Amino acid sequence: MSESWRWDLQSLAHPEDEHPWAALQRLLSRLGVTLRQWETCLQDARSVLLNRTTPPAPEGKPAPVTPSIPITPAVPPTALNQPAAPQPTASPAARQTETLLSLISLWQTARAQWREATSLVTCLTLYPVSVQQQTADTASSLTKQLCRLGEPITTLQAATESCLAGVDESVWQTALAQPALRPLARVLTEYRQRGQAQLPGDSARLLAMMLPDAYHAWEQMYKELVARMRIPVAGLPLSSVRPGGSSGVPPSRPSADPAAAGSPVDNQAESAASLANPAASARLLTADQLRPWLYHPHRLLRAAVWRTWEQAWQQYEDLLARCLNHLAGVRLAVYAAQGRPDALDEPLQINRCSREVLAAMEAAVAELQPLLHTVVRQRARHLGSSSLDWHDLTVPLVRWQGPVPCPGVELATWITEVFSHWNKAWGERVKQWITQGGIQVGRPALDGSGPQPAHQEDRRAPGAQFSSFSITAQEAFCVHFPLHRQVRIHVPSVHGWPGVLMLAHELGHACHQAELMELPPLLQSPAVCVAEAAALWAEGWVLSAALAQVRTPRQRQYLLDLKARRVLDLLAAARARLQFERAFYTARQHGWVPAAQLNELTLSAQRTAFGPGLRQGFPLAWAAQGHAFNTRTPFYDLAYFMGYLLSAALHQRTQQEGPAFAPALNALLRDSGQLPVAELVHKTLHADAGDPAFWVAALRHVLADLTGGITS
């Protein structure tokens, strides 16, 4: 095993491909063929199933399909564990069933190819582009082609859902009784219900054409504005400022630890002298370059950076408030036309969660709120204060003293053993991914020289930084390739315990997806909160294993502090962001919400979540965090909030039953592509997800070691 973990992308490409982008070019050709076949089949389905023909496209509107690159044969549907279309028959009923089978088969083929292509481009955009202009042009062209294919895929899926909604009930039940569709009955019924909720006919098509420019463009505008921000900073020891980086750390991932190797240096004398130097020359930094300093362990320096940080966002608050108001206005208008009761309806649908279950979860956290407030006060006492400012919430209180599993063989062996202890199937997968090129640490290199430093200058494919598939070398992620039934994981670093937890989190995602890839493509999209629950379950057990092996009280304090920061992020900060979004959308229904009101809504939510131990909040968190601007996953934090509670319940049951719980856990993850949260909990944990007491017991179990543990 190599000391430096590196991806193997060659196994995803054709042997004749000259460079990694050629594999994407080949895949886009196949996807283009499938989209044309899907469109033709959909027209036939409207005629056969609904007794109507497809209306002509608006004049001048191009066919919503493929890039202009050579076409190769599409992947046979049977290669994706999908039903092959039967031979035509004379019976009208049989022809209706046959047409429906063909439509769903092509839908699944397109879905698998699209996921494969987006996963591949996500990996490839991490590679520094070759100095040869031809390769750079190819990368840029293919990335743009993939982005353009998103619109016809969305349109075709919406049209297919609408077609399913119009199928006669007797025909529908006959089709679902077919062996090929019986396993898909639950999820197909879900899509049929979504089709029934769509706007009628031309309105739905018009909406699909408008959303990229009228809705999703506001998220892209936000990203571009933030990318162009330049923050004047004077008096910092900038020798350790790193260019590039991510645009924000989602609450699902452990944030970078300034106490770990590679973070800004903690030279208090140098920092204090720099801050006291009024003649220090200013340097313009991006938001990502300044972000690591927000978590500096030296409080004087950290507070000064936060003042600069807040001032920078204040200069942009009115413009960003306009973006958010326009985005929300479009969303609310669409929801009103669709008959949705409020802005929370679609996010709950995405998470396959009912309002009753969410209310039970929130009631449980409210009951345990005094415990969270106690954790905040503990942190304040450790810092010699009675209360905290916002920038104190995530700073490490204790430095790690002692060895950490070293990247390479030692860490691979240790983390494989941790996974194997509780779930042997997961342990085998982790070992395979580590030894066979499934994990990349740091930025990959095309020349075979090994991983590059994750903090090197960002030189991705031109235009990729503003695409929907944009990933930077500072972000951890897991992607899956359904055509090859493989996964690829990237983490920027595994030095220090936060890096180890980040790796565990992504391994949890990978193990979950490995369970789903054994199923048809339509069953491979889990409820988002369950996906995060799997990742947080894995992260939690790695942290528990580390706590079980500590040798000194100080090491235990460090790990408990790390756990406390994660709890405050996932239960308090994420809950505050949820409360803010709900309050914002309620206010937006009555008119424009100015920046000053957005700031007040943010502070109100933070005070509720963190209690009196929070002296000064961060009113511009709505702008700096960016989650409220996410148009692909509305109410972004909902999945992580609910996912943490579900992971706590799974953690509790795993500890009670031991490795014997593994088959039930794996079954839950396989079912997550079609069953709602309440049914998953009832089927696997034999509990009522609508009962707050169930969630209270789970949280008490996983949080039992926090009170008093950090400062003892």
Side-chain angles (χ1 to χ4, degrees):
M1 180 186 301
S2 171
E3 289 293 316
S4 298
W5 299 350
R6 297 173 56 187
W7 272 334
D8 168 27
L9 294 185
Q10 192 59 42
S11 62
L12 302 171
H14 192 276
E16 297 179 0
D17 292 338
E18 295 180 0
H19 54 80
W21 290 94
L24 178 61
Q25 184 173 10
R26 189 183 302 274
L27 184 57
L28 289 180
S29 297
R30 295 158 60 191
L31 177 57
V33 172
T34 303
L35 292 184
R36 279 194 282 266
Q37 293 173 339
W38 187 6
E39 187 175 38
T40 301
C41 186
L42 181 59
Q43 294 172 1
D44 186 42
R46 286 196 179 103
S47 174
V48 174
L49 299 172
L50 310 180
N51 296 318
R52 64 173 184 257
T53 58
T54 303
E59 185 175 353
K61 177 68 177 177
V65 281
T66 64
S68 55
I69 51 180
I71 294 175
T72 56
V75 176
T78 51
L80 298 172
N81 193 25
Q82 301 174 48
Q87 295 299 315
T89 64
S91 166
R95 189 182 176 207
Q96 289 175 329
T97 301
E98 170 201 338
T99 301
L100 194 55
L101 284 167
S102 298
L103 180 63
I104 294 170
S105 176
L106 287 166
W107 183 6
Q108 295 206 99
T109 303
R111 191 161 181 152
Q113 291 173 344
W114 169 255
R115 172 55 62 187
E116 186 99 355
T118 57
S119 295
L120 187 55
V121 80
T122 297
C123 293
L124 290 176
T125 51
L126 275 186
Y127 283 82
V129 178
S130 169
V131 294
Q132 297 180 4
Q133 188 60 37
Q134 181 179 2
T135 303
D137 289 344
T138 299
S140 178
S141 174
L142 292 175
T143 301
K144 291 176 181 177
Q145 288 172 5
L146 180 59
C147 292
R148 285 197 299 268
L149 284 176
E151 180 183 348
I153 287 177
T154 301
T155 301
L156 283 170
Q157 174 160 321
T160 301
E161 292 171 358
S162 178
C163 183
L164 297 183
V167 174
D168 181 79
E169 184 65 25
S170 61
V171 175
W172 180 253
Q173 294 300 330
T174 300
L176 293 186
Q178 298 294 315
L181 293 186
R182 196 176 297 129
L184 303 174
R186 188 67 178 264
V187 73
L188 288 175
T189 299
E190 179 181 308
Y191 285 121
R192 176 174 158 92
Q193 292 170 347
R194 285 173 50 174
Q196 292 168 343
Q198 285 183 15
L199 298 179
D202 293 338
S203 298
R205 286 190 290 273
L206 179 61
L207 178 62
M209 293 190 317
M210 291 177 58
L211 283 180
D213 292 323
Y215 179 52
H216 298 301
W218 289 113
E219 179 185 2
Q220 296 304 317
M221 175 65 76
Y222 168 80
K223 290 180 178 179
E224 187 162 352
L225 286 172
V226 174
R228 293 185 179 187
M229 283 180 64
R230 293 298 180 268
I231 305 172
V233 179
L236 284 181
L238 295 176
S239 59
S240 60
V241 169
R242 298 181 288 184
S246 68
S247 59
V249 181
S252 62
R253 274 68 172 171
S255 57
D257 190 342
S263 297
V265 294
D266 182 22
N267 188 327
Q268 296 192 15
E270 179 184 0
S271 303
S274 300
L275 286 168
N277 181 10
S281 58
R283 176 175 173 179
L284 295 178
L285 300 183
T286 66
D288 291 334
Q289 288 172 329
L290 187 59
R291 196 179 299 273
W293 294 91
L294 302 176
Y295 311 101
H296 198 284
H298 182 23
R299 193 172 192 277
L300 179 63
L301 175 61
R302 187 173 69 251
V305 172
W306 267 97
R307 286 192 294 271
T308 301
W309 181 255
E310 287 193 84
Q311 291 169 3
W313 289 101
Q314 286 171 357
Q315 295 177 8
Y316 283 82
E317 64 178 350
D318 289 332
L319 190 56
L320 295 177
R322 288 180 61 187
C323 288
L324 186 58
N325 273 272
H326 285 308
L327 182 157
V330 175
R331 182 180 289 173
L332 287 172
V334 172
Y335 288 166
Q338 293 174 337
R340 294 184 183 272
D342 55 31
L344 197 58
D345 190 63
E346 184 187 22
L348 286 172
Q349 183 183 72
I350 292 172
N351 284 280
R352 292 194 176 100
C353 184
S354 67
R355 293 175 187 271
E356 292 74 19
V357 171
L358 176 59
M361 290 180 168
E362 291 183 314
V365 175
E367 183 173 333
L368 294 181
Q369 198 161 259
L371 187 151
L372 297 177
H373 294 175
T374 298
V375 173
V376 174
R377 290 194 297 270
Q378 282 181 346
R379 296 182 64 78
R381 286 198 299 270
H382 192 90
L383 292 173
S385 176
S386 60
S387 57
L388 298 177
D389 292 333
W390 187 259
H391 59 78
D392 297 322
L393 288 171
T394 54
V395 65
L397 299 181
V398 184
R399 281 186 175 273
W400 175 262
Q401 293 181 347
V404 179
C406 297
V409 175
E410 182 182 353
L411 177 57
T413 301
W414 183 79
I415 204 165
T416 300
E417 290 176 351
V418 171
F419 275 75
S420 298
H421 178 74
W422 297 107
N423 195 318
K424 289 186 178 180
W426 285 34
E428 289 298 319
R429 290 186 182 122
V430 170
K431 182 178 180 180
Q432 178 182 352
W433 293 327
I434 291 174
T435 58
Q436 298 182 16
I439 302 174
Q440 175 74 40
V441 176
R443 182 191 291 277
L446 291 179
D447 59 4
S449 59
Q452 305 298 306
H455 58 269
Q456 71 176 30
E457 184 179 358
D458 190 5
R459 294 175 57 244
R460 290 168 290 160
Q465 63 269 35
F466 299 124
S467 78
S468 301
F469 319 108
S470 173
I471 294 290
T472 69
Q474 290 291 354
E475 293 180 79
F477 64 84
C478 170
V479 292
H480 69 282
F481 297 83
L483 300 182
H484 290 82
R485 296 191 180 181
Q486 296 186 31
V487 300
R488 292 295 182 271
I489 295 169
H490 170 264
V491 289
S493 170
V494 290
H495 289 279
W497 284 112
V500 174
L501 292 188
M502 190 180 296
L503 174 61
H505 187 100
E506 301 308 326
L507 286 171
H509 278 308
C511 289
H512 184 191
Q513 203 57 56
E515 295 288 344
L516 292 171
M517 281 193 294
E518 300 298 321
L519 305 173
L522 283 180
L523 298 181
Q524 293 182 18
S525 296
V528 185
C529 64
V530 183
E532 293 308 322
L536 291 167
W537 180 90
E539 182 185 326
W541 276 116
V542 167
L543 183 56
S544 295
L547 278 165
Q549 298 176 14
V550 293
R551 300 177 180 177
T552 67
R554 190 169 182 84
Q555 289 179 348
R556 178 174 176 80
Q557 288 177 349
Y558 172 87
L559 291 175
L560 287 176
D561 174 48
L562 182 58
K563 179 176 180 177
R565 284 183 279 142
R566 296 291 286 140
V567 167
L568 290 178
D569 189 8
L570 291 158
L571 286 185
R575 184 180 177 220
R577 288 188 288 267
L578 277 176
Q579 181 180 331
F580 159 78
E581 284 204 74
R582 293 167 85 165
F584 163 63
Y585 275 96
T586 298
R588 184 66 180 88
Q589 287 180 319
H590 303 288
W592 193 265
V593 185
Q597 188 177 354
L598 292 172
N599 294 344
E600 182 52 42
L601 291 176
T602 301
L603 288 174
S604 175
Q606 291 171 355
R607 286 191 289 265
T608 299
F610 291 96
L614 180 63
R615 177 174 54 242
Q616 181 177 352
F618 181 31
L620 285 155
W622 63 269
Q625 187 70 41
H627 292 177
F629 294 86
N630 191 313
T631 59
R632 309 288 173 177
T633 310
F635 281 75
Y636 181 89
D637 293 283
L638 185 64
Y640 303 116
F641 175 75
M642 294 192 301
Y644 185 78
L645 273 82
L646 183 55
S647 74
L650 296 174
H651 191 285
Q652 180 188 30
R653 185 59 58 88
T654 303
Q655 193 161 53
Q656 290 171 348
E657 299 185 11
F661 180 63
L665 174 64
N666 294 341
L668 177 145
L669 298 179
R670 285 193 297 273
D671 288 339
S672 64
Q674 56 182 323
L675 296 185
V677 172
E679 288 192 39
L680 292 173
V681 169
H682 178 75
K683 181 179 178 180
T684 305
L685 303 177
H686 311 293
D688 178 10
D691 182 4
F694 167 71
W695 302 110
V696 168
L699 287 176
R700 287 193 186 280
H701 175 81
V702 298
L703 303 181
D705 55 0
L706 283 188
T707 305
I710 302 172
T711 55
S712 59

